[in-house]
Amino acid sequence: MATYSRLPGSVALITLQNPPVNALSAAVRQGIVDTVQRALKDPKVTSVVICGQNGRFCGGADIREFAGPMLGPPLVPMIHAIEAVDKPVVAAIEGVALGGGLELALGCHYRIAHSKALLGLPEVTLGLLPAAGGTQRLPRLIGLTAALDLITTGRHISAAEALKLGILDQVTDSNAVDLAVDFVRSVAGQPLDSRRLSTLACPCPPDVDSLLDKVMAQVRQRSRGALAPVACVQALRAAATLPYTQGMEKERDLMATLFNSGQARALQYAFFSQRVVGKWSLPSGANWNNSTGRTISKAAVIGLGTMGRGIVVALALTGMSVVAVETQEKQLAEASQAVPAMLQREAGRRSLATPPGVITFSSNLQDVSEVELVIEAVFENMALKLQVFRHLASVCGPGTLLCSNTSGLDMDQLAAVTKSPALVVGMHFFAPAHVMKLLEVVCGPRSSPEAVATAMQLGKRMGKVSVAVGNCPGFVGNRMLKPYLEQANFLLEEGATPQQVDEALEEFGFPMGVFRMSDLSGLDVGWRIRKEAGLTGPGVEPSRTRQGRRYSPLPDQVCEAGRLGQKTGRGWYQYDGPGGRVARSDPWVHIFLEAYRAQHGLVARSIAPEEILERCLYALINEGFNILQEAMAAGPEHIDAIYVFGYGWPRHRGGPMFHAGQVGLGRVLERLEHHHHNHPDVPHLEPSTLLRRLVAGGSPPVQKWREFINKDRVHSQL
Ligand SMILES: CCCCCCC/C=C/C(=O)SCCNC(=O)CCNC(=O)[C@H](O)C(C)(C)COP(=O)(O)OP(=O)(O)OC[C@H]1O[C@@H](n2cnc3c(N)ncnc32)[C@H](O)[C@@H]1OP(=O)(O)O
């Protein structure tokens, strides 16, 4: 709703009320229509201020309403009516003015904001465009070039930037509503024609077409199949080339196409998934709402390889003191040079004037005795990690939280060698750890609610999307990745090339296919993990069946040939020397694959992109169903957030579990059965019991899966 009050000096104050972000629900829109009418009709009112309750102007249209029929007054005529009012209307912006919230403010005649306010048109991130006149008013106010940037990226900008761009008329460090009230009194009676943005011409650079073509090309390249950014450019072309009314028609038509698209549904699902995962719970009943984490002010990181360095930077950026320990002198010397530079760069990228935290480098484990939390980030080797944990147990007090940055090892085994197993949790970071948004918080069977809450809160402080997961090999992300990678290798055995596999996955929307990604991260990484699992290495039988199932030794052989990827200039592709970035097809790989197939009596066949996608993606999704059934992830949203934020799953496809629902669970089941029939020696292709149950239960939408999962769970860790 919206409340109305009359202030001294003939000012009407309209306050939007819909906590927590004053989203423009049907009730709020009705409230605005009614209160604006009242202000218009009241002869004692000469001017109007619109603000939001609780220091938040407006977070935009109410996204939850998009799932059902749109009721209540529509936004476009509501904003148009405000613009047409013949008394000055000022938007007093505190907190946020996003999406429809900013569009509402653009319909006002003036905009005044608090210096800490954030503004933006993020509709593109929800698969939409600013269809309440935003694509037509903003370019008329700030020019085509700046509007293209804001609308196609959806980025939030500070009040200072908004002032510079001309979106705001004034910015204050004090109360924005008070200033707006004073301001509107001072402009009462002045002509408003030039303040009505819909009546202005759109300032454009001389060569509009080439600018629009350039931006369209950039957007298509960046968005990898996403529809909304392309529609935004089309709407802005209309703003630049057509009268306002026709531009609005174009905006409406483009929105109509986007609004009901699968991509919009996927992106809105991704928005809510990101928020759902913060609300973790454990089988004991402990959850985000009833458990208190510790506030950490001093932490340590053990091991200063690539991961450890990134973790130090991520921690330091929160402002805490960090003891960074590395026992190898050479590595320590390199890290103490590299880490401050990384910190400086990252602080700059986040527009922080000075890097906040204090880092102390040390080669002595004893130096962590005073910290409140330790993150071990040594090599992924259980014996080594156990050694470090035993050492930490003797050096640190019994109340210190001990965390491991493992990508899949048993946290309970590590907890067992400490004095307080309840204070042990996994914190699985993704490289580069100071940049990547995902953090898997691994809850062992003995991890206490306090330990989980502390790790989840710390993740949030570091700006991560933290997802609580259960303690199983590979946790959630890497466990699902295994069958995906395995299928990619099998496809090479059967006749595909690395390019064909990568192209199919990149066409789907991944930023990189599996082989390009493997070259980037280094083939030795996977090789070491497989060696640790006893799948490869000296003494392991070199057959295509290992540990009772089909195995492809192809990546081991490429790695053992010294082809470690980009860092050696050769891997699945060739590069212009070590460290090169541009992947080119390598005749060596094709000869190698032919020789391998001949050696094993395999006849190459032509493989369609559809089969590549089905085999790789459905094997991964199938493992997701097993994970849900075993309660290693609390719900499909958790898996989807992990894949979107940690594994490059295209956001406009929602995540693997959401995607399965979009494809149709029956279809996914049928294709898995088909591929399993053709490859009975691949257990990962055998459809999960949960998937079968969901299909038998009528393939409910993803939001309803939990009802089935809870009936079907085999263990319960989350
Ligand atoms: C044919 C129809 C035509 C319609 C015309 C359409 C034109 C306009 C379209 C839009 O405006 S689309 C919406 C654009 N706005 C956004 O994208 C903003 C989304 N929200 C945020 O970015 C953040 O929530 C925030 C506003 C920056 C606040 O962040 P904070 O970290 O403080 O809180 P959160 O945990 O994110 O959110 C709290 C709570 O509020 C819910 N929520 C937030 N925004 C909306 C919204 N616009 N609609 C509905 N609900 C919203 C969020 O889900 C959280 O809820 P819970 O998870 O706690 O239940």
Side-chain angles (χ1 to χ4, degrees):
M1 59 181 252
T3 58
Y4 181 90
S5 53
R6 222 178 67 215
L7 306 179
S10 312
V11 179
L13 180 68
I14 294 172
T15 309
L16 315 187
Q17 294 192 351
N18 182 15
V21 302
N22 299 320
L24 294 162
S25 62
V28 173
R29 297 196 303 276
Q30 188 63 59
I32 297 173
V33 169
D34 294 345
T35 49
V36 169
Q37 273 298 319
R38 196 167 155 191
L40 249 183
K41 285 194 187 135
D42 188 340
K44 295 211 177 82
V45 166
T46 56
S47 50
V48 183
V49 170
I50 302 181
C51 67
Q53 189 190 31
N54 294 334
R56 276 185 157 173
F57 181 69
C58 177
D62 191 332
I63 306 165
R64 288 182 205 276
E65 283 187 353
F66 292 168
M70 293 299 278
L71 305 170
L75 271 179
V76 170
M78 180 194 92
I79 294 174
H80 206 79
I82 293 172
E83 192 186 64
V85 168
D86 55 7
K87 303 174 182 184
V89 184
V90 180
I93 300 171
E94 294 178 310
V96 287
L98 296 172
L102 180 55
E103 292 176 286
L104 167 64
L106 292 172
C108 298
H109 306 118
Y110 300 92
R111 287 155 292 280
I112 286 178
H114 189 269
S115 53
K116 294 227 164 77
L118 290 175
L119 294 86
L121 293 175
E123 286 88 339
V124 69
T125 64
L126 298 168
L128 304 174
L129 49 72
T135 66
Q136 304 304 302
R137 284 197 180 87
L138 188 69
R140 284 175 163 79
L141 178 62
I142 65 172
L144 180 64
T145 313
L148 274 165
D149 167 38
L150 290 193
I151 292 177
T152 60
T153 62
R155 70 188 176 91
H156 297 181
I157 58 170
S158 65
E161 185 175 352
L163 182 69
K164 209 160 137 199
L165 285 171
I167 297 176
L168 295 174
D169 297 288
Q170 284 189 26
V171 172
T172 176
D173 290 327
S174 329
N175 188 308
V177 182
D178 290 348
L179 177 63
V181 170
D182 289 346
F183 175 86
V184 83
R185 282 192 194 113
S186 73
V187 294
Q190 288 183 13
L192 290 171
D193 286 349
S194 65
R195 309 298 310 179
R196 295 190 174 104
L197 301 182
S198 67
T199 65
L200 307 182
C202 174
C204 291
D207 197 347
V208 177
D209 279 336
S210 71
L211 170 69
L212 286 162
D213 291 348
K214 190 179 110 202
V215 176
M216 183 64 99
Q218 284 168 348
V219 151
R220 282 191 199 280
Q221 212 219 347
R222 206 172 50 210
S223 59
R224 309 194 315 266
L227 301 171
V230 172
C232 287
V233 180
Q234 289 168 334
L236 283 154
R237 180 182 288 278
T241 55
L242 298 173
Y244 173 78
T245 326
Q246 286 176 40
M248 285 300 286
E249 281 167 15
K250 184 75 183 170
E251 182 189 272
R252 187 200 56 211
D253 292 349
L254 288 165
M255 179 66 160
T257 311
L258 293 178
F259 195 74
N260 294 312
S261 68
Q263 291 197 3
R265 274 195 290 275
L267 285 158
Q268 289 155 28
Y269 165 86
F271 173 85
F272 288 115
S273 302
Q274 184 176 346
R275 282 146 184 91
V276 165
V277 297
K279 299 178 179 168
W280 57 273
S281 61
L282 299 176
S284 62
N287 64 43
W288 63 281
N289 208 14
N290 62 18
S291 310
T292 315
R294 298 184 195 168
T295 306
I296 305 296
S297 56
K298 193 164 185 192
V301 177
I302 315 290
L304 298 180
T306 311
M307 289 308 291
R309 292 177 195 189
I311 297 170
V312 171
V313 172
L315 289 171
L317 283 166
T318 68
M320 70 174 70
S321 314
V322 187
V323 182
V325 180
E326 171 59 63
T327 50
Q328 292 185 27
E329 289 298 341
K330 184 165 173 278
Q331 179 102 303
L332 178 67
E334 282 170 10
S336 47
Q337 293 286 310
V339 169
M342 284 164 67
L343 181 62
Q344 195 79 43
R345 263 199 311 278
E346 191 57 19
R349 205 176 65 89
R350 297 186 192 188
S351 307
L352 302 172
T354 44
V358 177
I359 305 173
T360 318
F361 292 92
S362 167
S363 61
N364 188 352
L365 260 179
Q366 212 62 36
D367 288 345
V368 307
S369 60
E370 299 298 313
V371 305
E372 298 145 307
L373 177 143
V374 181
I375 303 176
E376 160 280 305
V378 301
F379 262 140
E380 190 71 351
N381 174 289
M382 184 50 104
L384 179 60
K385 286 186 189 277
L386 282 170
Q387 194 185 327
V388 173
F389 265 69
R390 278 195 197 98
H391 207 117
L392 289 173
S394 69
V395 170
C396 302
T400 312
L401 266 117
L402 300 182
C403 310
S404 174
N405 172 51
T406 164
S407 59
L409 297 178
D410 181 4
M411 281 308 303
D412 203 38
Q413 218 180 317
L414 293 175
V417 302
T418 67
K419 291 185 195 125
S420 314
L423 293 182
V424 175
V425 280
M427 289 183 84
H428 177 203
F429 290 81
F430 290 74
H434 55 304
V435 177
M436 289 289 286
K437 291 279 282 180
L438 179 65
L439 177 72
E440 281 185 326
V441 171
V442 188
C443 313
R446 291 183 270 181
S447 304
S448 67
E450 185 191 26
V452 174
T454 306
M456 292 292 286
Q457 281 167 15
L458 183 56
K460 197 166 181 192
R461 264 174 83 190
M462 289 186 280
K464 308 277 179 212
V465 174
S466 311
V467 186
V469 297
N471 181 39
C472 58
F475 313 132
V476 170
N478 284 347
R479 175 169 162 185
M480 289 169 69
L481 197 65
K482 196 172 161 203
Y484 166 85
L485 297 175
E486 198 180 78
Q487 286 303 315
N489 295 327
F490 295 159
L491 286 160
L492 296 191
E493 290 187 339
E494 292 165 36
T497 63
Q499 292 91 311
Q500 283 168 340
V501 174
D502 283 350
E503 272 160 25
L505 294 168
E506 286 161 20
E507 187 62 27
F508 178 77
F510 280 98
M512 268 186 216
V514 306
F515 295 107
R516 263 188 254 280
M517 179 51 86
S518 169
D519 273 2
L520 174 69
S521 39
L523 273 77
D524 50 328
V525 176
W527 183 87
R528 237 184 256 116
I529 293 171
R530 292 189 295 277
K531 181 164 171 283
E532 179 79 8
L535 283 165
T536 192
V540 175
E541 185 70 25
S543 76
R544 289 178 54 238
T545 302
R546 298 195 194 171
Q547 299 178 356
R549 52 176 70 182
R550 180 174 166 189
Y551 179 84
S552 172
L554 278 172
D556 298 333
Q557 293 181 5
V558 175
C559 177
E560 285 157 12
R563 302 176 65 104
L564 307 188
Q566 288 188 3
K567 59 186 162 194
T568 55
R570 279 176 178 16
W572 293 106
Y573 295 91
Q574 59 177 323
Y575 301 85
D576 293 330
R581 290 291 167 96
V582 182
R584 280 180 289 111
S585 170
D586 189 342
W588 183 95
V589 173
H590 301 286
I591 295 165
F592 162 74
L593 286 175
E594 275 166 28
Y596 175 90
R597 290 181 199 123
Q599 184 196 347
H600 295 284
L602 299 164
V603 180
R605 64 186 172 91
S606 156
I607 301 179
E610 294 75 37
E611 180 178 346
I612 295 175
L613 283 184
E614 283 183 5
R615 297 249 315 258
C616 292
L617 301 186
Y618 295 177
L620 176 148
I621 288 168
N622 195 38
E623 196 58 21
F625 283 112
N626 289 331
I627 283 171
L628 287 175
Q629 191 175 325
E630 291 171 26
M632 293 297 153
E637 300 87 352
H638 297 66
I639 294 181
D640 287 334
I642 287 173
Y643 261 80
V644 166
F645 289 101
Y647 291 84
W649 186 280
R651 196 178 162 92
H652 63 266
R653 293 189 190 268
M657 308 320 286
F658 181 86
H659 180 67
Q662 295 277 82
V663 170
L665 298 184
R667 169 83 183 156
V668 174
L669 174 60
E670 182 230 304
R671 297 313 292 161
L672 276 167
E673 279 172 338
H674 168 83
H675 293 301
H676 190 230
H677 175 79
N678 290 345
H679 304 278
D681 52 349
V682 183
H684 282 128
L685 290 173
E686 182 172 5
S688 127
T689 311
L690 176 61
L691 172 59
R692 287 189 188 283
R693 272 177 47 81
L694 286 164
V695 173
S699 298
V702 67
Q703 292 81 359
K704 300 244 182 239
W705 289 6
R706 280 187 204 218
E707 294 160 24
F708 283 77
I709 296 165
N710 290 338
K711 282 189 218 144
D712 211 37
R713 286 208 146 142
V714 289
H715 324 107
S716 190
Q717 200 151 318
L718 288 175

